[in-house]
Amino acid sequence: MNLMRRALLGTLWAMLGWRPASARESGADSGEETMQAEASSVTPRHVLCFLGKDRDLSRLSDAASQAIRDFASGFSIDEEYSQAEPDDRMSRSFDVCWDRVEPDAWDQADEKAVADHQSVLYVLGPSMAQAESVTVSMLALRLVERLIGAGAVAVKGESAGIAHGLDRWRELIRQGAEAQKSADRLAEQRIGRLAFAKRPLSARGYLESVGFHLVGLPDVYVPDTEGSERQIVAIMDAVADEIAERGLEPTLKARRASLSFNSTYEVEEFKFNPYGIVRLGG
């Protein structure tokens, strides 16, 4: 399936609250094994959406092309789906994707910028091996910085369906630059996760994260009985940090958790995590 078609369908499915009917049910051992085998061939990638304030795409596309030449090797502009006209789906799409965990992650000015946009630029990232995912995600954050500087009025990560307001993007960019300057790999991974992953979403008795694969981590599912949404998000983030610092197996053991490949997303969807799902509570 065409890369951008997959990303756009993923956004539409999120807007409708739809899950693929063929998603494998929990407890189907043969399905689990098949999913794990299929997962081994999947490599994640970023799909970034930038909105412009006028119908001339050249300013954003030129800035993206220059960034690709300067530092973002492997990224590319999607010529088929980028358009020098507004997309009437964007207000609804951003409304679904806004980060609702970080306080003041967007404001009315950001919403108005989305509503008033006049052009759309899509940039595709390279397929990422697990070991290079943090590095590539830091490049994606630098690309966001470059295009905001060139006049992008709104930015959304399509691979996990996450959007932040411009001030929040700038803060994440600042934190990412500090982590890179100090060569703090764990901080880079954490910031990449906060920038490009979405949490929490509902998934059959669990709250789930989506997009941790963009920094080389499994996603985390927490039973929805474990507390409020904010409490569960704190658990998700703590588990992700523990995996990054201690490793997967020690974290599974300490948390009495299991690793599953029984995803609610199909292998061909950008939200599918090839590194699996850490399920807490059994």
Side-chain angles (χ1 to χ4, degrees):
M1 186 185 292
N2 177 280
L3 290 171
M4 280 309 307
R5 189 176 300 278
R6 285 166 56 191
L8 292 171
L9 282 174
T11 298
L12 290 172
W13 291 336
M15 288 163 59
L16 296 171
W18 186 82
R19 295 287 193 215
S22 58
R24 293 161 177 81
E25 294 296 329
S26 176
D29 292 339
S30 60
E32 177 86 10
E33 292 170 2
T34 300
M35 181 70 83
Q36 185 170 357
E38 292 174 343
S40 65
S41 65
V42 174
T43 50
R45 68 188 305 178
H46 286 277
V47 179
L48 301 172
C49 172
F50 301 93
L51 303 188
K53 62 183 177 182
D54 54 51
R55 297 200 180 202
D56 181 2
L57 259 183
S58 61
R59 189 174 175 188
L60 291 184
S61 62
D62 289 350
S65 295
Q66 187 62 52
I68 290 167
R69 290 191 292 269
D70 289 347
F71 60 83
S73 177
F75 285 76
S76 62
I77 294 171
D78 186 274
E79 303 285 356
E80 181 178 357
Y81 283 90
S82 297
Q83 59 185 55
E85 59 182 284
D87 183 335
D88 60 10
R89 298 171 297 180
M90 283 298 163
S91 288
R92 176 60 177 146
S93 176
F94 270 78
D95 184 58
V96 170
C97 294
W98 290 123
D99 177 13
R100 289 177 166 80
V101 174
E102 180 69 21
D104 303 317
W106 85 100
D107 58 26
Q108 290 184 343
D110 294 304
E111 292 182 337
K112 187 175 189 305
V114 173
D116 294 343
H117 81 280
Q118 295 296 306
S119 55
V120 185
L121 181 76
Y122 288 103
V123 177
L124 307 175
S127 296
M128 301 182 292
Q130 188 173 19
E132 65 186 12
S133 58
V134 174
T135 297
V136 176
S137 290
M138 289 295 99
L139 294 179
L141 201 53
R142 289 180 62 192
L143 185 62
V144 171
E145 178 183 28
R146 181 70 66 89
L147 266 68
I148 290 175
V153 297
V155 183
K156 173 159 56 83
E158 296 284 2
S159 298
I162 184 68
H164 310 282
L166 292 190
D167 286 346
R168 175 60 177 163
W169 277 117
R170 291 187 183 103
E171 175 60 17
L172 290 164
I173 290 162
R174 183 193 65 77
Q175 292 176 11
E178 287 186 354
Q180 288 186 291
K181 185 177 180 179
S182 61
D184 188 338
R185 195 67 168 175
L186 291 176
E188 289 179 29
Q189 189 174 55
R190 185 179 305 113
I191 293 156
R193 176 164 51 80
L194 294 176
F196 296 114
K198 175 80 170 176
R199 76 263 195 268
L201 296 174
S202 179
R204 287 182 260 179
Y206 287 81
L207 293 181
E208 68 176 20
S209 69
V210 177
F212 285 8
H213 57 307
L214 298 172
V215 290
L217 296 172
D219 276 298
V220 180
Y221 282 25
V222 181
D224 58 16
T225 55
E226 289 297 306
S228 68
E229 287 194 357
R230 289 194 177 276
Q231 289 172 324
I232 289 176
V233 166
I235 294 170
M236 289 177 181
D237 290 341
V239 171
D241 286 340
E242 288 168 20
I243 295 170
E245 293 170 9
R246 302 171 57 191
L248 178 59
E249 290 302 325
T251 302
L252 292 176
K253 183 176 181 180
R255 290 280 182 171
R256 298 182 179 179
S258 61
L259 181 67
S260 172
F261 289 86
N262 183 21
S263 177
T264 54
Y265 301 101
E266 296 292 339
V267 172
E268 66 270 14
E269 292 182 62
F270 280 111
K271 293 180 180 180
F272 177 79
N273 192 326
Y275 312 124
I277 299 159
V278 171
R279 290 181 180 269
L280 276 60

